[in-house]
Amino acid sequence: MAILPILIHPDPRLKTVCEPVPDMSDELRTLADDMLLTMYDAPGIGLAAPQIGVLQRVIVMDCVKEEGAEPKPVAMFNPEVTASSDITNVYEEGCLSIPEQYAEVTRPKLVQVRWMDRDGKLQEQEFDGLWATCVQHEIDHLDGKLFIDYLKPLRRQMITRKMQKLKRERARKAL
Ligand SMILES: [Zn+2]
């Protein structure tokens, strides 16, 4: 297993609509394992394949936050929201591709999601609370959408400029 570098916004790969994965394979299981390792290392509660430059519809999550609680890693292949509630919820979201920037985003409070699991079986389940926010945020990544796309243009531009500066600084340090 490997910890992979996470792409930082702005990057054209983070704006791409990703391809569905074909049938389950060892390569896809390894990809999910590497993504989980990368997510836990960051640390974060969710990661989508385009964030590591793989333009396929794969996401991983673990929204268990309580200290000492059992981890609950979830890997989803070709996830899709099949139903969502009219009731909304506001969360202060962040993103591993937009480090140290947070903003309130309104999304449906409950979502029904269907996906293929690591054994190639179809699963369908309802998510609530932080899990619901996280799964919607990650599925957005597969459609080239970031949480800052929900913000007003001025705020989005400010964050993008900060990220461009961060990337320039990191590139200089790498020389
Ligand atoms: Zn994200």
Side-chain angles (χ1 to χ4, degrees):
M1 295 215 290
I3 294 169
L4 304 162
I6 297 172
L7 299 180
I8 303 298
H9 165 74
D11 187 297
R13 288 166 288 182
L14 294 173
K15 301 257 90 185
T16 305
V17 177
C18 298
E19 291 289 326
V21 302
D23 287 345
M24 194 45 54
S25 63
D26 285 341
E27 283 76 15
L28 283 174
R29 278 186 277 267
T30 302
L31 171 66
D33 288 341
D34 286 347
M35 285 172 61
L36 279 165
L37 197 66
T38 302
M39 178 191 84
Y40 285 125
D41 175 71
I45 59 169
L47 187 72
Q51 293 181 276
I52 52 155
V54 175
L55 302 180
Q56 288 191 303
R57 303 187 80 82
V58 182
I59 63 172
V60 296
M61 299 185 294
D62 185 345
C63 299
V64 174
K65 291 211 306 191
E66 301 77 34
E67 198 79 29
E70 274 291 297
K72 201 164 177 265
V74 178
M76 295 182 174
F77 304 86
N78 301 335
E80 52 181 317
V81 174
T82 53
S84 51
S85 64
D86 292 333
I87 303 168
T88 57
N89 210 3
V90 180
Y91 257 112
E92 185 163 73
E93 296 190 23
C95 181
L96 293 176
S97 293
I98 311 174
E100 283 162 44
Q101 302 298 319
Y102 304 92
E104 288 189 339
V105 178
T106 304
R107 299 182 187 269
K109 184 179 183 295
L110 293 160
V111 285
Q112 182 92 14
V113 179
R114 184 164 57 208
W115 73 97
M116 181 166 66
D117 70 14
R118 56 189 302 132
D119 298 317
K121 285 203 208 97
L122 270 187
Q123 301 282 351
E124 190 153 6
Q125 196 188 309
E126 191 177 271
F127 292 90
D128 192 1
L130 183 57
W131 283 92
T133 292
C134 187
V135 75
Q136 291 175 82
H137 175 120
E138 301 311 329
I139 291 174
D140 271 354
H141 272 299
L142 305 181
D143 293 319
K145 195 166 183 184
L146 302 171
F147 82 91
I148 56 170
D149 293 330
Y150 293 93
L151 309 180
K152 293 201 171 69
L154 192 64
R155 181 86 195 278
R156 185 164 62 238
Q157 284 158 19
M158 273 175 57
I159 291 177
T160 299
R161 274 200 291 274
K162 276 186 194 157
M163 292 300 105
Q164 283 164 333
K165 186 162 170 265
L166 175 76
K167 286 173 83 169
R168 279 197 301 273
E169 282 166 6
R170 285 189 181 184
R172 249 200 310 273
K173 274 190 201 138
L175 282 176

